[in-house]
Amino acid sequence: MNEQPPITRQAGLKRLDAFLREGAADYASMRNFDRGPAPRATTSALSPYLRRRLLSEQEVVSAVRSTLGEDAAEKFTSEVFWRTYFKGHLETHPAAWSDALALAAAGRERLDAEPGLRRAHAAAVEGRTGIDAFDAWARELVETNWLHNHARMWFASIWIFTLRLPWALGAAFFMRHLLDGDPASNTLSWRWVAGLHTRGKHYVARAENIRRYTQGRFDPAGLDENRRALDEDRPPREAPLAPADAVPAGDVALLLHLDDLNPETLPIARVRCVAGLLAHAEDAAEPVRMADRDAMRDGLEHAARRFGCPVVPRDEGWAGDLPVVTPWAPLGPSAAALPAGVLRIRRRWDEAAWPHCGRGFFRLRSAIPAVLEACAAR
Ligand SMILES: Cc1cc2nc3c(=O)[nH]c(=O)nc-3n(C[C@H](O)[C@H](O)[C@H](O)COP(=O)(O)OP(=O)(O)OC[C@H]3O[C@@H](n4cnc5c(N)ncnc54)[C@H](O)[C@@H]3O)c2cc1C
């Protein structure tokens, strides 16, 4: 992830191709190893493209299954469905997102009021805690806008249970710097590490596990491996999934946003003009904003080519009398910034998967064949 090319569909397809040739076959056995900011990752590094849907979950899963065969692709397929699961889960537990934002705001107020906490937080985000692995990951995140999944798990666990910092400030730190920063995957992963998502079951970062899966790069001292899971008074309640709108029969204006920049595969045909809604994550670092801008430009160009229509600035009256259609924006900055009256349409993938995401992941995992079949039947 060091020399990050512009985040475009073309770059994503190139990354997918490299993964199919070089990494996919070893994915299941190697994916837990974190080699650090080395040129060859043990995972696909496709998340910046999937997060913005420059590549769709469906095409990535389908490419890996075609290359490896269904059985050998099982682990990768199920990891992609973790992303789908978190999206669907947050849609039906919106308080998990609003609570995280409120907790982060409260945490920032505490930083202003409590010098001890402020010092501990500054040492953590600047990589000065004295825990070798943690400090290296804090710097790696800020410098490369990336961390391996296992490093994210260890980092979040040390943040919460060893450094005893507020978890929502850690989640906000990730959202600020990660190139794939995603309200659902990030918030719910932090909650999962803390023992709030699967209540009472938390993830403990162990020194031995870190030594092993970083192949001896680190030897972290002073980890608290015995803390209990966090708890909360009011866990987020389940809410019904909001219904999507029907696709209008005639001409439409298309509004693209950062959660879905894959206009070619939208179930619409008659688009007269397209505009973009660029709503970054709150406080996003400049490399993340740049990636968002590159991705948006690319999505708009693809839409203009696909529909033979102009890209127009989103000023007042940009759509004229046409109905405005947008791909579904899951909870997060894009959804919050969508103007009223826009018709929100959902893809088959989300429509088939999200009803299985209300509880734990394993319900969705059992439904993976049915979801894939529903999408293939199009
Ligand atoms: C504390 C914490 C915070 C995280 N924050 C984010 C985030 O903001 N955005 C984000 O996209 N992912 C997040 N993840 C999930 C995961 O770490 C990344 O998706 C993964 O590291 C991306 O690397 P990759 O593309 O090489 O993944 P691969 O292993 O190659 O997997 C392929 C794709 O499957 C999906 N995926 C894989 N693992 C997970 C997972 N555990 N949860 C959800 N989706 C997964 C991703 O879309 C990924 O691109 C977080 C995990 C933790 C523990």
Side-chain angles (χ1 to χ4, degrees):
M1 272 286 153
N2 258 347
E3 295 292 313
Q4 181 61 49
I7 301 295
T8 61
R9 177 165 169 78
Q10 188 58 33
L13 287 172
K14 215 170 142 196
R15 177 94 278 285
L16 174 59
D17 184 55
F19 177 62
L20 294 175
R21 281 185 287 104
E22 293 163 13
D26 296 330
Y27 178 81
S29 60
M30 292 305 291
R31 60 178 284 277
N32 279 328
F33 287 94
D34 171 21
R35 295 197 179 116
R40 207 166 77 81
T42 52
T43 59
S44 71
L46 286 170
S47 54
Y49 309 97
L50 286 165
R51 190 264 172 266
R52 298 173 177 83
R53 261 200 180 147
L54 287 161
L55 301 185
S56 71
E57 293 88 334
Q58 188 176 348
E59 72 179 313
V60 165
V61 163
S62 157
V64 174
R65 283 162 61 97
S66 306
T67 303
L68 296 185
E70 281 176 29
D71 289 347
E74 198 276 330
K75 190 67 202 160
F76 182 83
T77 303
S78 124
E79 290 306 313
V80 174
F81 270 93
W82 268 103
R83 169 185 162 72
T84 304
Y85 165 71
F86 282 143
K87 299 299 290 181
H89 193 86
L90 199 66
E91 287 298 282
T92 50
H93 295 78
W97 174 238
S98 49
D99 288 355
L101 294 179
L103 282 171
R108 283 184 203 107
E109 280 177 20
R110 282 187 60 200
L111 294 181
D112 288 339
E114 299 174 33
L117 184 66
R118 185 161 67 242
R119 276 194 297 276
H121 178 264
V125 299
E126 290 163 18
R128 293 186 285 100
T129 66
I131 302 170
D132 62 0
F134 184 94
D135 290 346
W137 293 321
R139 287 194 295 270
E140 184 181 341
L141 175 61
V142 173
E143 285 162 18
T144 70
N145 304 99
W146 177 256
L147 281 183
H148 183 277
N149 178 60
H150 220 161
R152 297 181 198 205
M153 291 161 63
W154 292 316
F155 185 97
S157 178
I158 295 170
W159 178 285
I160 297 168
F161 299 113
T162 296
L163 304 174
R164 302 185 197 178
L165 290 165
W167 73 264
L169 285 181
F173 179 51
F174 270 23
M175 280 301 283
R176 175 166 161 69
H177 292 288
L178 278 175
L179 220 43
D180 63 18
D182 179 88
S185 290
N186 190 55
T187 309
L188 296 177
S189 294
W190 275 84
R191 286 180 57 83
W192 176 83
V193 171
L196 298 170
H197 183 72
T198 312
R199 228 172 157 185
K201 279 194 177 175
H202 59 314
Y203 177 76
V204 180
R206 298 193 189 283
E208 174 48 34
N209 185 261
I210 294 173
R211 278 193 289 273
R212 173 163 177 224
Y213 285 103
T214 59
Q215 295 171 319
R217 277 192 303 129
F218 301 117
D219 185 16
L223 303 193
D224 188 339
E225 301 184 8
N226 298 307
R227 300 278 298 169
R228 302 247 304 268
L230 300 190
D231 203 356
E232 60 192 345
D233 292 338
R234 283 182 298 115
R237 287 246 188 89
E238 187 166 357
L241 189 57
D245 293 302
V247 181
D251 289 348
V252 300
L254 174 63
L255 182 61
L256 289 184
H257 52 72
L258 291 170
D259 287 80
D260 194 321
L261 293 170
N262 203 317
E264 278 99 341
T265 54
L266 281 174
I268 48 175
R270 295 171 55 178
V271 177
R272 292 261 300 278
C273 61
V274 57
L277 172 70
L278 194 68
H280 306 286
E282 183 188 69
D283 201 27
E286 183 46 33
V288 178
R289 286 170 188 263
M290 197 198 303
D292 287 345
R293 287 192 294 269
D294 288 340
M296 175 59 76
R297 198 174 308 115
D298 192 57
L300 290 171
E301 280 170 17
H302 275 262
R305 268 205 301 279
R306 155 75 177 87
F307 298 113
C309 71
V311 175
V312 298
R314 200 174 56 85
D315 47 19
E316 211 177 311
W318 69 274
D321 294 335
L322 295 167
V324 179
V325 169
T326 197
W328 189 270
L331 225 54
S334 301
L338 274 183
V342 173
L343 300 172
R344 301 176 303 159
I345 59 176
R346 222 156 29 217
R347 290 175 184 276
R348 180 69 66 97
W349 181 274
D350 299 333
E351 201 68 27
W354 287 358
H356 303 284
C357 300
R359 300 262 187 269
F361 174 69
F362 295 96
R363 229 177 249 195
L364 176 61
R365 196 169 80 173
S366 315
I368 289 176
V371 174
L372 294 177
E373 204 177 315
C375 294
R378 290 225 62 183

